[in-house]
Amino acid sequence: MYLLRHLKDFLITYKRQYLLGVSALIIVDLLQLIPPKIIGSITDSIKSGTIDASGITLYGFIIIGIACLVAIFRYFWRMNIIGSARKLECWLRNKLFIHLEDMTPEFFNYKKTGDLMAHATNDIQAIRMSFGPGVIMTTDAIVISITTMVIMFSTINPKLTIWALLPLPFMAALVTFLGKKIQKLYKQVQEAFSGLSDHTQESISGIRVIKSFVREKSSLSNFENTSEVYVNKNMKLAAIYGFMFPMIGFISSISFLIALLQGGKMVINGSLSLGDLVAFITYLGMLIWPMMAIGWVINSMQRGIASIKRINEILDTAPALIDKEAAIWPEEFTPKISFENVSFKYPQSENFALRNLDFHINKGKTLAIVGKTGSGKSSVASLLLRFYSHSDGVIKVSDTNIEDLKHKKLREKIGYVPQEAFLFSCSIHENIAFSNPELPRERVIEVAKIAAIDEDITEFPAGYDTIVGEKGVTLSGGQKQRVAIARALIKNPEILILDDCLSAVDTKTEEKILGHLKEVMKDRTSIIISHRISAIKDADEILYLEDGVITERGTHSELLVQKGAYEDLYRKQLLEEKLDKEV
């Protein structure tokens, strides 16, 4: 049961459906055991001349009645067992998706998209097959095998039954041996499929880079190699199937041959009636099916076990961020932020991204953070959004330790625009109104104007209904950034974080956006992270970071007086702007 620990809730909820389905299946199996006995009796009656046409007709109606009952109960078990398996597939896929949503960004840094896609498709499908057809085949194999052998042994001829069943232990040994190999190989097949999915997804996402560097042949070669690995793994698995199923059929045929030879002799010497031999052969034919099904059951169950183990690995990975049991949310939230000697390093990194960071931002104030690439600017935003937990010090929001706050409530209060603007493959309106799809078009247009993207949108033939394509591929970098700004503003957040989100827009557009944002940021606590001083010069306080340490702080004019790294950066950017204008 430990293997099924993540399926326990579903199985408890749907145990009634499974029990009813299995019960109906057993009834079907038992009903199917009646006709062979009837056929045997008819055969003996015809041979002895003790039956007429009306008697045969009566037996015919009985067989038809049994067939009707079989059809009714077969529909019942299909709806309960196969239906429940389909619901399990949906339930487990949702459970996996919810779990992935709870994981921090660090998890996705080390888990490939293709691998996760394989978990959500092939693995869950294999589990569904185990809990659907797998349950049916297992029940059939057990019920039909046992009851058929009991009937053959007790009502026909024990000696003939023993002879006919002699080859079956060899079949059991073969299936057990090959089953272990199937599980091992299937896991390798799923891993190869993950690699193929990941390579495909990465190649399609990066198709523009591949084309610009004329690397189509190289990309194709890599894809062919990955595909060949997947094919080779499948061929090894197919080789075992190709051996196992014919061998099961061969062993079953030996049982059938023994029954004909021994049974024929018994009929000739009078120790067995012809009707009993006909019934015995019919039962043996019914017995061969579950024997054949054993191979399919082993295949399905081994695949299911391998897939459950892979899914368990994901579900066993606990989210790095979980609210405390005593997590709170203040009745009156005040967008005050303070970092008190905060140090932080990313998981699996030995170097600190931030060291002894100390600053305070009151409501309505704007803090700017500037510095070279890799200085730790974006790490501040990640800590405030609680994508990661800091190592030392205290971060407070609304005068409360951030670790004591409900993190989803906190994120609702924050409007965040990341460095790389990610857009979904839907309309511009849907992207901007992402936080609340019910928002009216008027509100969407309002924030689009603040983000200086409204004019661009209205020039598109479909306007706000323009589909932006995967990751916003149909828009320019600057347009994507401005749509992302509008998406953050429409939340009407009390804390606004702009993480270098104006890097792809020209200076004129930047000035226009910043002019609009001044009014928006009046009553909000804002953090502007940028490498452009033009974007942060009006902030109430500016921090200059180097290697995660605040080396300079003050207002724009105060920092210029200090004649430090900030002033040097400002001078260089003024020169660059002057040269751009001359060009």
Side-chain angles (χ1 to χ4, degrees):
M1 281 301 294
Y2 181 71
L3 181 68
L4 305 178
R5 57 193 178 276
H6 292 297
L7 304 180
K8 184 174 66 175
D9 291 342
F10 179 87
L11 295 177
I12 290 173
T13 303
Y14 283 86
K15 65 181 179 182
R16 181 174 177 273
Q17 283 84 345
Y18 270 106
L19 288 173
L20 290 173
V22 170
S23 299
L25 180 58
I26 292 172
I27 292 172
V28 169
D29 290 341
L30 295 177
L31 286 171
Q32 288 176 326
L33 296 174
I34 299 174
K37 205 67 179 172
I38 295 174
I39 292 170
S41 297
I42 293 173
T43 302
D44 283 338
S45 298
I46 292 173
K47 183 181 178 183
S48 62
T50 58
I51 191 171
D52 55 16
S54 61
I56 294 175
T57 302
L58 177 63
Y59 278 125
F61 278 116
I62 292 173
I63 292 173
I64 291 173
I66 291 171
C68 291
L69 289 174
V70 166
I72 292 169
F73 282 103
R74 182 167 286 163
Y75 172 81
F76 192 73
W77 68 247
R78 285 190 67 87
M79 292 303 295
N80 279 277
I81 298 177
I82 300 297
S84 295
R86 287 291 183 181
K87 290 175 182 176
L88 171 62
E89 181 181 28
C90 178
W91 179 87
L92 186 56
R93 188 172 284 121
N94 288 339
K95 182 181 177 73
L96 179 64
F97 189 81
I98 290 169
H99 184 75
L100 292 176
E101 283 191 320
D102 286 338
M103 303 306 289
T104 57
E106 185 66 20
F107 174 83
F108 298 98
N109 291 341
Y110 299 98
K111 282 289 184 181
K112 293 183 177 180
T113 303
D115 194 30
L116 296 175
M117 288 294 294
H119 286 310
T121 52
N122 275 21
D123 281 327
I124 290 179
Q125 182 181 1
I127 294 170
R128 188 258 300 172
M129 292 296 288
S130 294
F131 281 86
V135 169
I136 294 166
M137 295 292 186
T138 302
T139 305
D140 270 345
I142 294 172
V143 174
I144 293 180
S145 298
I146 293 175
T147 52
T148 302
M149 285 188 284
V150 168
I151 291 171
M152 291 163 67
F153 192 87
S154 61
T155 67
I156 299 179
N157 191 288
K159 184 179 178 181
L160 181 60
T161 302
I162 292 171
W163 274 103
L165 298 183
L166 278 178
L168 297 188
F170 296 98
M171 183 188 296
L174 175 71
V175 167
T176 302
F177 173 74
L178 294 180
K180 293 178 181 178
K181 289 188 173 294
I182 287 173
Q183 183 177 348
K184 182 179 179 181
L185 279 173
Y186 184 70
K187 185 176 182 181
Q188 293 176 5
V189 166
Q190 289 296 77
E191 289 171 351
F193 178 76
S194 298
L196 182 63
S197 299
D198 190 65
H199 188 94
T200 305
Q201 184 268 336
E202 191 174 61
S203 297
I204 293 173
S205 297
I207 191 65
R208 288 160 187 79
V209 177
I210 292 172
K211 285 184 173 294
S212 65
F213 282 85
V214 197
R215 298 293 293 171
E216 290 93 340
K217 287 185 178 180
S218 176
S219 178
L220 176 60
S221 176
N222 291 335
F223 180 81
E224 287 176 342
N225 292 336
T226 306
S227 184
E228 189 174 346
V229 169
Y230 179 60
V231 170
N232 290 338
K233 296 294 183 183
N234 269 291
M235 288 303 295
K236 289 181 180 179
L237 194 60
I240 292 182
Y241 295 153
F243 175 76
M244 183 173 71
F245 285 104
M247 281 302 296
I248 291 173
F250 176 71
I251 295 171
S252 301
S253 298
I254 292 175
S255 293
F256 199 78
L257 180 62
I258 291 172
L260 282 174
L261 292 174
Q262 290 297 327
K265 289 178 182 178
M266 290 179 177
V267 171
I268 292 171
N269 62 32
S271 60
L272 186 73
S273 72
L274 180 62
D276 282 342
L277 178 60
V278 170
F280 187 89
I281 296 297
T282 307
Y283 279 127
L284 189 58
M286 293 178 66
L287 189 61
I288 288 174
W289 156 242
M291 292 298 105
M292 290 282 288
I294 287 175
W296 194 95
V297 168
I298 294 297
N299 167 28
S300 176
M301 291 304 178
Q302 295 294 347
R303 282 181 175 233
I305 290 169
S307 292
I308 288 172
K309 287 179 178 178
R310 280 163 54 85
I311 293 290
N312 284 348
E313 287 179 12
I314 298 294
L315 296 178
D316 285 340
T317 305
L321 176 63
I322 301 176
D323 282 337
K324 295 178 179 178
E325 287 186 13
I328 61 168
W329 187 252
E331 291 184 9
E332 292 186 13
F333 178 83
T334 306
K336 292 170 59 180
I337 300 170
S338 65
F339 275 53
E340 300 173 3
N341 296 316
V342 172
S343 295
F344 164 69
K345 58 181 177 182
Y346 288 95
Q348 302 185 18
S349 174
E350 296 180 358
N351 301 319
F352 278 92
L354 298 173
R355 289 180 289 172
N356 301 320
L357 212 63
D358 194 285
F359 63 81
H360 303 272
I361 321 173
N362 289 322
K363 179 182 178 180
K365 299 296 182 181
T366 299
L367 175 77
I369 304 175
V370 68
K372 297 178 182 178
T373 301
S375 61
K377 303 187 298 295
S378 295
S379 299
V380 175
S382 295
L383 291 180
L384 272 174
L385 287 159
R386 296 207 68 193
F387 290 159
Y388 301 93
S389 295
H390 54 287
S391 308
D392 300 300
V394 177
I395 300 175
K396 289 184 178 180
V397 178
S398 189
D399 295 321
T400 306
N401 191 324
I402 197 171
E403 294 184 352
D404 295 328
L405 293 173
K406 294 178 180 179
H407 72 276
K408 289 187 178 180
K409 283 278 190 181
L410 176 62
R411 289 172 184 168
E412 287 176 0
K413 297 292 183 181
I414 298 175
Y416 173 57
V417 187
Q419 286 177 304
E420 297 181 9
F422 181 92
L423 301 184
F424 295 93
S425 184
C426 54
S427 70
I428 294 175
H429 174 97
E430 290 170 308
N431 270 288
I432 294 176
F434 180 69
S435 59
N436 183 2
E438 302 302 320
L439 287 170
R441 177 63 59 89
E442 293 75 19
R443 175 60 180 155
V444 171
I445 294 173
E446 181 185 341
V447 295
K449 288 179 178 178
I450 296 173
I453 187 65
D454 175 65
E455 291 181 7
D456 295 57
I457 295 172
T458 53
E459 289 178 0
F460 297 137
Y464 281 85
D465 295 318
T466 301
I467 303 298
V468 300
E470 187 177 10
K471 297 181 182 179
V473 69
T474 58
L475 303 182
S476 69
Q479 288 171 334
K480 285 193 288 186
Q481 285 187 336
R482 283 176 281 162
V483 169
I485 292 171
R487 179 172 60 193
L489 293 177
I490 208 167
K491 286 178 67 178
N492 196 25
E494 297 191 48
I495 298 173
L496 183 63
I497 302 175
L498 306 178
D499 187 358
D500 209 8
C501 62
L502 298 173
S503 58
V505 301
D506 57 78
T507 307
K508 184 178 179 181
T509 305
E510 179 188 62
E511 290 176 359
K512 186 177 181 180
I513 295 170
L514 291 173
H516 293 163
L517 288 176
K518 279 183 182 179
E519 186 66 28
V520 172
M521 296 190 312
K522 272 185 180 179
D523 300 319
R524 292 177 174 81
T525 301
S526 306
I527 297 178
I528 302 177
I529 299 167
S530 179
H531 67 279
R532 279 189 190 173
I533 289 180
S534 58
I536 52 96
K537 62 183 181 180
D538 294 325
D540 296 294
E541 184 178 22
I542 301 170
L543 306 181
Y544 188 90
L545 293 188
E546 285 187 17
D547 297 325
V549 177
I550 299 174
T551 56
E552 299 175 33
R553 67 192 308 161
T555 62
H556 175 67
S557 56
E558 289 170 347
L559 289 171
L560 291 180
V561 172
Q562 292 179 22
K563 299 289 184 182
Y566 179 88
E567 190 270 342
D568 183 57
L569 178 63
Y570 178 63
R571 201 161 26 84
K572 287 178 180 177
Q573 290 186 5
L574 283 178
L575 182 60
E576 287 173 2
E577 289 178 14
K578 184 178 179 182
L579 290 172
D580 287 339
K581 288 178 181 178
E582 290 177 358
V583 172

